[in-house]
Amino acid sequence: MKIHSHLDAELYNKIESTVRKDSYYLDKNQQISATVLDSENIVVGMVGSRYTDDELNRATQTTRSTGSSTKPILAYAPLLQYFGDKYTTASKFDTSNYRYPGSKSYMHNYGKYVYGYQTMAQSLALSHNTPVARIMDGVLGSNRVKNFLSGLDLDIQDKYTSVDGLGIHASTLQIASAYNAFNNLGKYGAPRFINKIEFSNGEEKVVEPKTRQAMNPSVAWTMNHMLRTVLTDKGTAKDAAIKGFDGYAGKTGTVGFDKSVNPPAP
């Protein structure tokens, strides 16, 4: 049989050659994984290592935390989806230290800074931690988070709490696919690698798109506009903006917990 993939060799080689430039890395040990999808959920590029002789595909591994990059998916988008009649981008949330329920441990914002009450838009742009905790534990609850993630094929745990607001263990393929639902005004599509298969008897099997409406179009539209601020001087990741793109939106995340630290982490 013949398998026809969606691979764009020229684009793939460009992505691969870019990530293998040593000038982008701090040292020889730093690694990378990346998945690039187009608006139709076709995987046009995937890199699992910066080295050509490394066969480990980190892009599909689910052994690393997403950090703050999933805050929009775990907290803010489901909040607007289920409580859009009560909350807007101007709604304010407490940024003070958050005590994990049933624990003596506290969640802090980066640098242990406290900013008083901040709007949802401000909290997302500056990637505050404690508003996310208060939204997940105090407003949404685990079942709503699970239901929302299920629509994005990202429900990977039995339950979700404020601890997960700081990151879940998901792959770049999963996260890129979930973010594409924002790009497509709430419509989630399963990632596609294969276009069609030709069998020896002459029959063909075309791999059709599998899509579902994972959130209201208005929720996705609002999230896109909030995420634009992240890549500006008002956000945490102005250096991540891609030149030449108008209205570019995104979210970064950093993980710094040592392996010996179990959640809830300081």
Side-chain angles (χ1 to χ4, degrees), residues 112-219:
K112 296 188 177 181
Y113 297 117
V114 176
Y115 305 86
Y117 281 80
Q118 296 274 288
T119 67
M120 183 191 303
Q122 290 171 326
S123 294
L124 177 55
L126 295 175
S127 200
H128 296 325
N129 295 330
T130 58
V132 169
R134 290 182 167 91
I135 290 171
M136 292 185 69
D137 284 346
V139 182
L140 290 172
S142 179
N143 288 339
R144 290 189 185 92
V145 176
K146 278 183 70 69
N147 188 63
F148 189 84
L149 293 178
S150 178
L152 300 171
D153 285 346
L154 199 55
D155 181 17
I156 56 177
Q157 300 179 185
D158 292 333
K159 64 178 182 178
Y160 298 88
T161 69
S162 51
V163 174
D164 305 302
L166 300 183
I168 56 176
H169 286 73
S171 71
T172 62
L173 178 62
Q174 290 173 306
I175 301 305
S177 301
Y179 263 88
N180 227 9
F182 292 147
N183 184 41
N184 290 318
L185 290 181
K187 183 178 288 187
Y188 170 80
R192 290 183 290 153
F193 293 85
I194 305 300
N195 182 13
K196 66 178 181 179
I197 302 173
E198 293 182 25
F199 297 96
S200 57
N201 61 2
E203 294 182 358
E204 289 186 355
K205 169 66 176 178
V206 177
V207 181
E208 301 289 350
K210 295 181 180 179
T211 63
R212 71 173 72 97
Q213 195 68 35
M215 69 190 84
N216 296 336
S218 58
V219 172

Side-chain angles (χ1 to χ4, degrees), residues 46 52 73 81 99 126 135 197 258:
M46 177 177 283
T52 56
I73 299 167
Q81 176 71 16
R99 182 173 179 176
L126 295 175
I135 290 171
I197 302 173
D258 187 84

Side-chain angles (χ1 to χ4, degrees), residues 103-118:
S103 166
K104 294 183 179 180
S105 298
Y106 284 83
M107 177 191 288
H108 305 276
N109 299 310
Y110 175 77
K112 296 188 177 181
Y113 297 117
V114 176
Y115 305 86
Y117 281 80
Q118 296 274 288

